Amino acid sequence: MRMFESNVGNVTWMHRPEPDYSRLVWEEANRFRVHTSAYTDPTVFAAEMKHIFQKTWVYVGHESQIPESGNFITSYIGNQPVIVVRDEERQIHVLVNRCVHRGAVVCREGGGRASEFNCPYHGWVYGLDGKLLAVSERKDAGGYDDAFDAPEGLFKVPRVERYRGLIFASFNPAVQPLVPYLGRAKQFIDRKLNFSPEGEIVLSSKPFVVRYPGNWKFQAENIVDGYHFMHTHKGFVQLQMKYGDSTGDFGVHKGGTPKAMRALRFRGAAWRCENGHGLIEKPLGEVDSLFEGEFGDYQRALHDTYGEEEFSFMAGKLSGSIFPNLGLIHNQIRVWRPIAHNMTEVAVYPYELKGAPDAFNEGMLRSQERFYGPAGHGAADDVDIFIRNQQGLEASAVDWLILERGLSTDAPDAGSRDLRGGSTSEAPQRAIWSEWKRLMSAGADQKPSSCPSSTGAHDATQEGHH
């Protein structure tokens, strides 16, 4: 393989051209498969951090976590630690959490309030906008003279945009604007958040955080996998049949028998969207029953505001994987952080619907505990599957994973480049991998992705606010 040279300072580095990672996705007219090494190879993981997490939009937090000047949270863009902070002028900055002196992480707290950031190693001080304010003992005892070329401050991530309180950042100055990037996922987010009478959500509960020894893409795929529920969560299905909502489900997982639950889960549509977003939509077939009981007035008001068709989507079951690291399902924001090719951290943030009845928000929180919390049923089942997946992929004698469910019946959507499939189609997973393939291709640019293609090499063994 030909190498080439480049000079940085006085050091000459030898670079090897990267493999063409697009070969790890085998995509043809009636074929969509992913190579085992896309989940198991540390070299692939390192390339993802460069070609995906440094080039596209990444979710880093929510405005309700930093409501006032001086509020901050720590987050990640891929494996790079960042601070998300609101300065004295209430502007939001995303700063790389690394002192420019000797590289120490400046802030370890998950969140809080500060007037400045002080590096614990040598005491360098930074403002809320990242600007270097002071170098400790600057001229004392063999310090820095007047010729010292002081840096400006913490590295500021060049692009930060928000949509309805969701904060995204990108290291790529040329990344396309956030709203076009979201595409159909913008409508999905609107439908989730419009269930609040004020159109806003609040992250007021502490997150449930779990790590699993498996690849980050398992979580990205699974949150929009309509095919697994009746099998992976078989124990929960039996529990639901016996106890119904009496243990705190609050109507989230409907269906009194496995047959009824299966029928409900096989309704609706799955979407393969541009830019890697995958969605599942299950609108309600009948809404009148929602206008009775304790929350009838609240839900009727939403119905009257948005109309029956839109309300049926809002009140139905919506789940989305916003490429590459954000999920929304039920009343929850889910964020996955890649740590290594075989280690992932997932944080589940239950949210409240601002202006909704307190009892409604309380009931939804209880349902989160029942299914997703540390004593819940669903999260444990899913994490076990992710671990099984990673273990199974050690059987490297088998090259390819199959993502072809619904491939022949997914249909184009009029007026967009998105594809619509049945509720258990693997269309959302193909969305993720289509964008993965585009960004991981050697020399990939940042133009918006084109219509999901039926071409691709398969020889992987050769090388803002609304």
Side-chain angles (χ1 to χ4, degrees):
M1 180 179 291
R2 182 179 63 85
M3 296 189 294
F4 62 93
E5 295 185 4
S6 67
N7 284 303
V8 180
N10 296 320
V11 181
T12 299
W13 300 91
M14 302 299 290
H15 298 274
R16 293 180 180 272
E18 285 191 319
D20 183 1
Y21 294 107
S22 67
R23 290 178 174 270
L24 300 181
V25 179
W26 179 4
E27 186 176 5
E28 296 178 353
N30 296 301
R31 177 95 49 180
F32 200 108
R33 302 192 176 186
V34 176
H35 198 267
T36 297
S37 60
Y39 298 88
T40 60
D41 189 336
T43 304
V44 174
F45 178 84
E48 291 174 335
M49 298 304 101
K50 174 182 177 182
H51 292 298
I52 294 176
F53 284 89
Q54 290 190 34
K55 289 188 176 180
T56 194
W57 289 108
V58 176
Y59 174 81
V60 294
H62 190 269
E63 285 183 321
S64 65
Q65 296 173 284
I66 50 170
E68 303 296 339
S69 295
N71 288 151
F72 71 90
I73 57 171
T74 51
S75 187
Y76 286 84
I77 300 179
N79 53 10
Q80 299 201 48
V82 296
I83 304 170
V84 184
V85 58
R86 198 182 287 271
D87 69 14
E88 294 89 343
E89 306 299 323
R90 296 185 51 79
Q91 297 299 307
I92 293 175
H93 305 278
V94 179
L95 311 170
V96 173
N97 193 1
R98 166 182 163 165
C99 181
V100 295
H101 175 218
R102 297 275 287 277
V105 166
V106 173
C107 183
R108 276 185 170 172
E109 294 85 357
R113 191 179 184 90
S115 58
E116 61 189 24
F117 296 110
N118 190 297
C119 178
Y121 194 6
H122 296 99
W124 287 31
V125 182
Y126 303 92
L128 297 178
D129 59 357
K131 184 178 180 180
L132 178 62
L133 300 180
V135 175
S136 61
E137 296 82 42
R138 181 160 182 157
K139 294 187 177 182
D140 298 343
Y144 304 96
D145 62 24
D146 292 338
F148 173 56
D149 184 15
E152 291 185 6
L154 301 177
F155 183 90
K156 188 178 294 186
V157 178
R159 293 289 298 276
V160 179
E161 293 187 22
R162 294 168 282 167
Y163 185 70
R164 298 197 67 167
L166 305 170
I167 306 170
F168 295 80
S170 179
F171 283 108
N172 177 14
V175 70
Q176 65 174 311
L178 177 61
V179 169
Y181 173 77
L182 291 174
R184 183 179 296 275
K186 172 183 174 295
Q187 180 189 55
F188 162 81
I189 293 169
D190 289 341
R191 285 170 168 169
K192 296 287 290 182
L193 273 57
N194 285 346
F195 217 70
S196 156
E198 300 180 30
E200 296 182 28
I201 60 173
V202 179
L203 275 60
S204 57
S205 301
K206 291 184 178 180
F208 166 49
V209 181
V210 63
R211 288 189 179 187
Y212 65 84
N215 195 270
W216 65 274
K217 297 182 290 293
F218 293 138
Q219 175 64 94
E221 296 168 342
N222 188 73
I223 198 170
V224 282
D225 187 315
Y227 189 26
H228 77 287
F229 191 94
M230 300 300 295
H231 307 281
T232 301
H233 304 301
K234 187 180 295 184
F236 176 80
V237 171
Q238 297 297 320
L239 181 77
Q240 181 77 359
M241 180 174 63
K242 185 173 182 178
Y243 294 104
D245 283 357
S246 64
T247 56
D249 186 61
F250 205 64
V252 171
H253 300 94
K254 296 183 183 296
T257 65
K259 181 178 180 180
M261 188 174 284
R262 178 186 174 88
L264 289 169
R265 294 201 161 269
F266 278 45
R267 292 190 300 104
W271 288 92
R272 174 181 176 177
C273 303
E274 286 194 275
N275 301 317
H277 312 316
L279 308 174
I280 293 180
E281 298 177 333
K282 299 179 187 293
L284 289 182
E286 183 275 323
V287 300
D288 289 348
S289 61
L290 296 180
F291 307 145
E292 303 170 0
E294 183 179 3
F295 308 116
D297 292 343
Y298 153 58
Q299 299 195 85
R300 180 174 288 282
L302 294 175
H303 172 274
D304 293 346
T305 298
Y306 295 102
E308 182 156 337
E309 181 178 1
E310 185 66 10
F311 177 77
S312 70
F313 280 98
M314 293 163 51
K317 304 305 176 190
L318 304 171
S319 57
S321 180
I322 312 300
F323 190 85
N325 73 320
L326 172 64
L328 288 93
I329 186 171
H330 304 309
N331 282 33
Q332 140 192 164
I333 287 176
R334 192 181 305 181
V335 188
W336 41 94
R337 175 167 76 91
I339 298 174
H341 72 283
N342 60 355
M343 183 62 66
T344 304
E345 182 176 279
V346 180
V348 174
Y349 295 85
Y351 63 73
E352 294 182 3
L353 296 162
K354 195 172 181 180
D358 290 343
F360 186 88
N361 282 321
E362 180 74 15
M364 291 303 295
L365 182 59
R366 297 288 81 79
S367 77
Q368 299 280 351
E369 293 171 343
R370 186 197 198 207
F371 197 75
Y372 298 105
H377 301 270
D381 290 341
D382 288 334
V383 166
D384 181 59
I385 288 296
F386 302 157
I387 296 169
R388 286 173 179 255
N389 287 352
Q390 199 72 34
Q391 291 173 331
L393 292 181
E394 293 301 319
S396 57
V398 181
D399 286 334
W400 299 97
L401 293 83
I402 303 170
L403 286 85
E404 295 169 7
R405 185 174 176 85
L407 183 61
S408 62
T409 54
D410 292 350
D413 176 60
S416 78
R417 295 172 176 172
D418 302 335
L419 298 177
R420 183 184 190 275
S423 63
T424 66
S425 169
E426 289 170 333
Q429 290 72 36
R430 290 189 286 272
I432 294 167
W433 281 105
S434 179
E435 183 68 354
W436 186 97
K437 173 183 174 181
R438 186 184 76 84
L439 291 173
M440 292 286 283
S441 298
D445 60 26
Q446 282 300 301
K447 295 178 182 178
S449 60
S450 58
C451 179
S453 141
S454 61
T455 63
H458 62 270
D459 184 8
T461 60
Q462 307 236 340
E463 299 253 271
H465 192 69
H466 77 303

